[in-house]
Amino acid sequence: MLYMVHMVVNIPATVSPAEADEIKRREKAYSQDLQRAGKWRHLWRVVGEYANVSIFDVASNDELHTLLSGLPLFPYMQIKVTPLANHPSSIVQE
Amino acid sequence: MLYMVHMVVNIPATVSPAEADEIKRREKAYSQDLQRAGKWRHLWRVVGEYANVSIFDVASNDELHTLLSGLPLFPYMQIKVTPLANHPSSIVQE
Amino acid sequence: MLYMVHMVVNIPATVSPAEADEIKRREKAYSQDLQRAGKWRHLWRVVGEYANVSIFDVASNDELHTLLSGLPLFPYMQIKVTPLANHPSSIVQE
Amino acid sequence: MLYMVHMVVNIPATVSPAEADEIKRREKAYSQDLQRAGKWRHLWRVVGEYANVSIFDVASNDELHTLLSGLPLFPYMQIKVTPLANHPSSIVQE
Amino acid sequence: MLYMVHMVVNIPATVSPAEADEIKRREKAYSQDLQRAGKWRHLWRVVGEYANVSIFDVASNDELHTLLSGLPLFPYMQIKVTPLANHPSSIVQE
Amino acid sequence: MLYMVHMVVNIPATVSPAEADEIKRREKAYSQDLQRAGKWRHLWRVVGEYANVSIFDVASNDELHTLLSGLPLFPYMQIKVTPLANHPSSIVQE
Amino acid sequence: MLYMVHMVVNIPATVSPAEADEIKRREKAYSQDLQRAGKWRHLWRVVGEYANVSIFDVASNDELHTLLSGLPLFPYMQIKVTPLANHPSSIVQE
Amino acid sequence: MLYMVHMVVNIPATVSPAEADEIKRREKAYSQDLQRAGKWRHLWRVVGEYANVSIFDVASNDELHTLLSGLPLFPYMQIKVTPLANHPSSIVQE
Amino acid sequence: MLYMVHMVVNIPATVSPAEADEIKRREKAYSQDLQRAGKWRHLWRVVGEYANVSIFDVASNDELHTLLSGLPLFPYMQIKVTPLANHPSSIVQE
Amino acid sequence: MLYMVHMVVNIPATVSPAEADEIKRREKAYSQDLQRAGKWRHLWRVVGEYANVSIFDVASNDELHTLLSGLPLFPYMQIKVTPLANHPSSIVQE
């Protein structure tokens, strides 16, 4: 089941650069694990912004929230979730 | 080169149902041609709305505008284009 | 799996009162069938507006879109879907 | 009498993690007391956000404000209240 | 129990002037009946707009919706309801 | 001459709790003086928010600004003023 | 007493060009009478828009509403009123 | 003196296709005359929209309004003007 | 050449009261010099807000930016500029 | 391939004036290098704001993101990218 997720990152000045780097390092590992597991199907940068557009493939709303709220950057992100359905004109079922 | 395109359809009452059906039939064919050509990489329905989220893969801004403005439903759609770039945490280059 | 759905109805003047009544009659029957089937768990009127707040319980995004796009009033509604998850402070699992 | 309440939580960096944990612990107890009392009928997490959608069942506007302004997280929440009425198509009176 | 109600009127060109006058005549009578009954406590014009700010005093959300949806101009109005509570600094209980 | 005034309070963390209490104490006294003088005709809490809806009765725009900018909480409030006029359907002149 | 008034004009296609010209002719005369009377102190075009920014000088909110609602173009305008006060840094009292 | 001008075109269904074509033909000629005269310095299409971003070079606000309000499509466009100034980091004076 | 300028002031808590007073003293002198020079034609307070509406009369966009960016409060203001043109119904050329 | 880029700068108080000056010095050099390389085709100040409107000419979305995210002021800017295409009425191909 697919969802588009739009994430905007905003790390406040109260987080030290070293701390921020550590959080980003863990974020990257976490994200790549989910990509390899097929849960995080696509991850694209929005040009000119510290933001991404992602496609998640999960079994339920609950699973999606668990994955998103576990993001190391979760406390510093504004996230908007759009549930997706199959489109009748699509040539694939995805 | 990838772009997220968000399209909202709004066919006014001045278009007769028969005309609307004919336009939608041509839209579907046009869309599926582009999907087969690899230009229109993904096409998803936004749940609960007469709208879609799409990913286009084209060579230039000009090509994207040519494709979008050629949509049979173009006069009845509100379209928003978001250019995408490779994300440093993505495990694939796409 | 639960979703909050917010629907605002706006029937244009091009629909005759008789037609509108017939559509509303079918909408009511359709809605009550889904309520009885346990798919449409709650249906509340927003005070002062021709709008409702609803809770749907469905198996997937696709099922939700199928149900919503089948609403007789669908062409005349603006719908916004919010996916819901279990809340850790809730005393029930729903 | 029912109300939909949408709460978004935003704890500033000036609150220490220990303080925040203590506030959240009290928030959970407070919320569960109201749920058991039948005042806070539903509590759902908004997927991907530190936010919830709730349904309250209270005797008056004043009672609702008293309950909401007593939330331990109240100083750190943005709250929006939507009064609900019975819907003529609902199969239950709630 | 008090509510602030903000109403914006927008009568479409499909309503003839004679019809519009008849609707406004009935709206005025309806409004004045509710004012005399103490339900519609205040009614003010927003300067420069075909809009009003009103204070209603009713027993419940359901009663408020019944009164508002019975307005002859209801199909042509955009209404926003704000529930009010007693303010601790107010010198009167109202 | 009447005005609706909508005030949202947001005291930053840089104000100590003791200071905040002292400001609120003065705000209450200031507000009640104006209510007794008939300038601040109504003061209601917006349910679920640290905000109020008020009706002021003053001789001029200048007087209203003088009263509002003198509020002890003025530096911490977002204020929106809506000038009101007599409504032709109102049964009272106010 | 001064007010800034922002007016945006939008004459629908249901008004014939001849009718529109007649309304605009009356609007101009009405506006110039109020300018000569000192009530409509300034009238400027917003560059690129069928809109104006105006400064009115009237005795009360009621007088302003009477003047604005009497505009021949009033049914076709979106008007926003901002009450103005004397500024402490202004070198004139106006 | 430079201005960025953003124009969105929306021709209503009440304009016949033949009329629309004639207006667009005149719009193109008008636009190209101004481009040749050096007044309309740049004209770009916004990808995916019936809209453009333009740079105008004119002697005054009045001249800009005269040029824009003379556009054959002016009655069917929503225009937003942003005045531009020389940027201290620009390597050219333009 | 006239422009409407809307300025909202927001001095952060990191500026000490003494510093703020000094900035405001310089702002007032700067503003009054420009008023006396005929550049800052009108300066009005927006009722209930720490904001003003102003009319500037300058020779060019560049001059306006130079004047505005030189305001002592410039770093703490949100400014919106609206270019104005002569209105065909105005009885004066200004 | 052209893009309009709108950048708003907001340097927080946690950055010291000396640091800010150093960042701005590097920003200017970086910007001028790109201008000389023909990548940053135009750079204009938005009148009255700490913001600019720019036109970039790059080979791809990825190149644009690389250039923008390399801006020394990038962490302190809000950036919005609009992809541009050739306009059929433009007298030049650019």
Side-chain angles (χ1 to χ4, degrees):
Chain A
M1 213 166 56
L2 301 181
Y3 297 81
M4 178 175 70
V5 181
H6 184 249
M7 310 183 200
V8 181
V9 186
N10 194 354
I11 304 178
T14 49
V15 177
S16 75
E19 249 181 300
D21 283 349
E22 169 60 15
I23 294 170
K24 288 181 208 167
R25 196 194 52 71
R26 286 192 290 121
E27 176 86 8
K28 186 171 190 168
Y30 182 96
S31 162
Q32 296 193 335
D33 284 352
L34 290 177
Q35 289 177 65
R36 278 185 213 102
K39 302 287 187 189
W40 194 328
R41 290 250 292 247
H42 299 283
L43 168 58
W44 297 293
R45 177 63 80 213
V46 177
V47 173
E49 303 185 30
Y50 193 1
N52 72 69
V53 166
S54 292
I55 304 294
F56 278 79
D57 184 358
V58 295
S60 69
N61 289 344
D62 279 311
E63 185 185 3
L64 182 58
H65 186 70
T66 302
L67 297 185
L68 293 176
S69 60
L71 287 163
L73 280 170
F74 182 74
Y76 312 119
M77 292 202 297
Q78 199 170 354
I79 293 182
K80 197 179 161 303
V81 171
T82 304
L84 302 175
N86 192 51
H87 192 288
S89 297
S90 178
I91 59 173
V92 292
Q93 286 275 112
E94 59 169 356
Chain B
M1 212 166 57
L2 302 180
Y3 298 81
M4 177 174 71
V5 181
H6 183 250
M7 310 183 201
V8 181
V9 186
N10 195 352
I11 303 177
T14 50
V15 177
S16 74
E19 248 180 302
D21 283 350
E22 169 59 16
I23 294 170
K24 287 181 208 166
R25 196 195 50 72
R26 286 192 290 121
E27 176 87 6
K28 187 171 189 167
Y30 182 97
S31 162
Q32 295 192 336
D33 284 352
L34 290 177
Q35 289 177 66
R36 280 186 212 102
K39 303 286 187 189
W40 194 328
R41 289 252 291 249
H42 299 283
L43 168 58
W44 298 293
R45 176 63 80 213
V46 178
V47 173
E49 304 185 30
Y50 193 1
N52 71 70
V53 166
S54 291
I55 305 294
F56 278 79
D57 184 357
V58 295
S60 69
N61 288 345
D62 279 311
E63 185 185 2
L64 182 58
H65 187 69
T66 302
L67 296 184
L68 293 174
S69 60
L71 288 162
L73 279 170
F74 183 74
Y76 312 118
M77 293 203 295
Q78 198 169 356
I79 293 181
K80 197 180 161 301
V81 171
T82 304
L84 302 175
N86 192 50
H87 193 289
S89 298
S90 177
I91 59 173
V92 292
Q93 286 275 110
E94 58 167 358
Chain C
M1 212 165 56
L2 301 180
Y3 297 82
M4 177 174 72
V5 181
H6 183 249
M7 310 183 201
V8 181
V9 186
N10 195 353
I11 303 177
T14 49
V15 177
S16 74
E19 249 180 301
D21 283 350
E22 169 59 15
I23 294 170
K24 288 182 208 166
R25 196 195 51 70
R26 285 191 292 120
E27 176 86 8
K28 187 170 188 166
Y30 182 96
S31 162
Q32 295 192 336
D33 283 353
L34 290 177
Q35 289 177 65
R36 277 185 213 101
K39 303 287 186 188
W40 194 327
R41 288 253 291 250
H42 299 284
L43 168 58
W44 297 293
R45 176 63 79 214
V46 177
V47 172
E49 304 184 31
Y50 191 2
N52 71 69
V53 166
S54 291
I55 305 294
F56 278 79
D57 184 358
V58 295
S60 69
N61 288 345
D62 279 311
E63 184 185 4
L64 182 58
H65 187 69
T66 302
L67 297 184
L68 293 175
S69 59
L71 287 162
L73 279 170
F74 183 74
Y76 312 119
M77 293 202 296
Q78 198 170 355
I79 293 182
K80 198 180 161 299
V81 171
T82 303
L84 301 175
N86 191 51
H87 193 289
S89 297
S90 177
I91 59 173
V92 292
Q93 286 276 109
E94 58 167 0
Chain D
M1 211 165 57
L2 300 181
Y3 298 81
M4 177 175 70
V5 181
H6 183 250
M7 310 183 199
V8 181
V9 185
N10 194 353
I11 303 178
T14 49
V15 177
S16 74
E19 249 180 301
D21 284 350
E22 170 59 15
I23 294 169
K24 288 180 208 167
R25 197 195 50 73
R26 286 192 290 121
E27 177 86 8
K28 186 171 190 167
Y30 183 96
S31 162
Q32 296 193 334
D33 283 353
L34 290 177
Q35 289 177 65
R36 278 185 213 101
K39 302 286 187 189
W40 194 328
R41 289 250 292 246
H42 300 283
L43 168 59
W44 298 293
R45 176 63 79 212
V46 178
V47 173
E49 304 184 31
Y50 192 0
N52 72 69
V53 166
S54 291
I55 304 294
F56 278 79
D57 184 358
V58 295
S60 69
N61 288 345
D62 278 312
E63 185 185 3
L64 182 59
H65 186 71
T66 302
L67 296 185
L68 293 175
S69 60
L71 287 163
L73 279 169
F74 182 74
Y76 312 119
M77 293 202 298
Q78 199 170 355
I79 293 180
K80 195 178 162 304
V81 171
T82 304
L84 302 175
N86 191 51
H87 192 289
S89 297
S90 177
I91 59 174
V92 293
Q93 287 274 111
E94 59 168 357
Chain E
M1 212 165 57
L2 300 181
Y3 297 81
M4 176 174 71
V5 181
H6 183 249
M7 310 183 201
V8 180
V9 185
N10 194 354
I11 303 177
T14 48
V15 177
S16 74
E19 249 181 300
D21 283 351
E22 170 59 16
I23 294 170
K24 288 181 207 166
R25 198 196 49 72
R26 285 192 291 120
E27 176 87 8
K28 186 170 190 168
Y30 183 96
S31 162
Q32 295 192 335
D33 284 352
L34 290 178
Q35 290 177 65
R36 277 185 214 102
K39 302 285 187 189
W40 195 327
R41 287 251 292 248
H42 299 283
L43 168 58
W44 298 293
R45 176 63 80 213
V46 177
V47 172
E49 304 184 30
Y50 192 1
N52 72 68
V53 166
S54 291
I55 305 294
F56 278 78
D57 184 357
V58 295
S60 70
N61 288 345
D62 279 311
E63 184 185 4
L64 182 58
H65 186 70
T66 302
L67 297 184
L68 293 176
S69 59
L71 287 163
L73 279 170
F74 183 74
Y76 312 119
M77 292 202 297
Q78 198 170 355
I79 293 181
K80 197 180 162 302
V81 171
T82 303
L84 302 175
N86 192 51
H87 192 289
S89 296
S90 175
I91 59 174
V92 293
Q93 286 275 110
E94 59 167 357
Chain F
M1 210 164 57
L2 301 181
Y3 297 81
M4 176 174 70
V5 181
H6 183 251
M7 310 182 201
V8 180
V9 185
N10 195 353
I11 303 177
T14 49
V15 177
S16 74
E19 250 179 301
D21 283 350
E22 170 59 17
I23 294 170
K24 288 181 208 167
R25 197 195 51 71
R26 286 192 290 120
E27 176 86 7
K28 185 171 191 167
Y30 182 96
S31 162
Q32 296 192 334
D33 283 353
L34 290 177
Q35 289 177 66
R36 277 183 215 102
K39 303 286 187 189
W40 194 328
R41 288 252 292 247
H42 299 284
L43 167 59
W44 297 293
R45 176 63 81 212
V46 177
V47 172
E49 304 184 31
Y50 191 1
N52 72 69
V53 166
S54 291
I55 304 294
F56 278 79
D57 184 358
V58 295
S60 70
N61 288 345
D62 279 311
E63 184 185 3
L64 182 58
H65 186 70
T66 302
L67 296 184
L68 293 175
S69 59
L71 287 163
L73 280 170
F74 183 73
Y76 313 118
M77 293 202 298
Q78 197 169 355
I79 294 180
K80 197 179 162 303
V81 171
T82 303
L84 302 175
N86 191 52
H87 192 289
S89 296
S90 176
I91 59 174
V92 293
Q93 287 274 111
E94 58 167 357
Chain G
M1 212 165 57
L2 301 180
Y3 298 81
M4 177 174 72
V5 181
H6 183 250
M7 310 182 200
V8 181
V9 185
N10 195 353
I11 303 177
T14 48
V15 177
S16 74
E19 249 180 301
D21 283 350
E22 169 60 15
I23 294 170
K24 288 181 207 166
R25 197 195 51 71
R26 285 192 291 120
E27 177 86 7
K28 185 171 190 167
Y30 183 96
S31 162
Q32 295 192 335
D33 284 353
L34 290 178
Q35 290 177 65
R36 277 184 214 102
K39 301 287 187 189
W40 195 327
R41 288 252 291 246
H42 299 283
L43 168 59
W44 297 293
R45 176 64 80 211
V46 177
V47 173
E49 304 184 30
Y50 192 1
N52 72 69
V53 166
S54 292
I55 304 294
F56 278 79
D57 183 358
V58 295
S60 69
N61 288 344
D62 278 312
E63 184 185 3
L64 182 58
H65 187 70
T66 302
L67 297 184
L68 293 175
S69 59
L71 287 162
L73 280 170
F74 183 74
Y76 312 119
M77 293 202 297
Q78 198 170 355
I79 293 180
K80 196 179 162 302
V81 171
T82 304
L84 302 175
N86 192 51
H87 192 288
S89 297
S90 176
I91 59 173
V92 292
Q93 287 275 112
E94 58 167 357
Chain H
M1 212 165 57
L2 301 181
Y3 297 80
M4 177 174 71
V5 181
H6 183 250
M7 310 184 200
V8 181
V9 185
N10 195 352
I11 303 178
T14 49
V15 177
S16 75
E19 248 181 302
D21 284 349
E22 169 60 15
I23 294 170
K24 287 181 208 166
R25 196 194 52 71
R26 286 193 290 121
E27 176 85 8
K28 186 170 190 168
Y30 182 96
S31 162
Q32 295 192 335
D33 284 352
L34 290 178
Q35 289 177 65
R36 279 187 212 101
K39 302 287 188 189
W40 195 327
R41 289 251 291 247
H42 299 284
L43 168 59
W44 299 293
R45 175 65 78 213
V46 177
V47 173
E49 305 185 30
Y50 193 1
N52 71 69
V53 165
S54 292
I55 305 293
F56 278 79
D57 185 357
V58 295
S60 69
N61 288 345
D62 279 311
E63 185 185 3
L64 183 58
H65 187 70
T66 302
L67 296 185
L68 293 175
S69 60
L71 287 163
L73 280 170
F74 183 73
Y76 311 119
M77 293 203 296
Q78 198 170 355
I79 293 181
K80 196 179 162 303
V81 171
T82 304
L84 302 175
N86 191 51
H87 192 289
S89 297
S90 177
I91 58 173
V92 293
Q93 287 275 111
E94 58 169 356
Chain I
M1 210 165 57
L2 301 180
Y3 297 82
M4 177 173 71
V5 181
H6 183 249
M7 310 183 201
V8 180
V9 186
N10 195 353
I11 303 177
T14 50
V15 177
S16 74
E19 250 181 301
D21 284 351
E22 170 59 16
I23 293 170
K24 287 182 208 166
R25 197 196 50 70
R26 285 192 292 120
E27 176 87 7
K28 186 171 190 167
Y30 182 96
S31 161
Q32 295 193 334
D33 284 353
L34 289 178
Q35 289 177 66
R36 278 186 213 101
K39 302 287 187 188
W40 195 327
R41 288 252 291 250
H42 298 284
L43 168 58
W44 298 293
R45 176 63 80 213
V46 177
V47 172
E49 304 184 30
Y50 191 2
N52 72 69
V53 166
S54 292
I55 304 294
F56 278 79
D57 184 358
V58 295
S60 70
N61 289 344
D62 279 311
E63 184 184 3
L64 182 58
H65 186 69
T66 302
L67 296 185
L68 293 175
S69 60
L71 286 163
L73 279 170
F74 182 74
Y76 311 120
M77 292 203 297
Q78 198 171 354
I79 293 181
K80 197 178 161 304
V81 171
T82 304
L84 302 175
N86 191 51
H87 192 290
S89 297
S90 177
I91 58 173
V92 292
Q93 287 276 110
E94 58 166 357
Chain J
M1 212 165 58
L2 301 181
Y3 297 82
M4 177 174 71
V5 181
H6 183 249
M7 310 183 200
V8 181
V9 186
N10 194 352
I11 303 177
T14 50
V15 176
S16 74
E19 249 180 301
D21 284 350
E22 170 59 16
I23 294 170
K24 287 182 209 166
R25 196 194 52 71
R26 286 192 291 120
E27 175 86 8
K28 186 172 189 167
Y30 182 96
S31 162
Q32 295 193 335
D33 284 352
L34 290 177
Q35 290 177 65
R36 279 187 212 100
K39 302 286 187 189
W40 194 327
R41 289 253 291 250
H42 299 283
L43 168 58
W44 298 292
R45 176 63 81 213
V46 177
V47 173
E49 304 185 30
Y50 192 1
N52 72 69
V53 166
S54 292
I55 304 294
F56 278 79
D57 184 357
V58 295
S60 69
N61 289 344
D62 279 311
E63 184 185 3
L64 182 58
H65 187 69
T66 302
L67 296 185
L68 293 175
S69 60
L71 288 163
L73 279 169
F74 183 75
Y76 312 119
M77 293 203 295
Q78 199 170 354
I79 293 181
K80 197 181 162 301
V81 171
T82 304
L84 301 176
N86 191 52
H87 193 289
S89 297
S90 177
I91 58 172
V92 292
Q93 286 276 110
E94 57 166 358

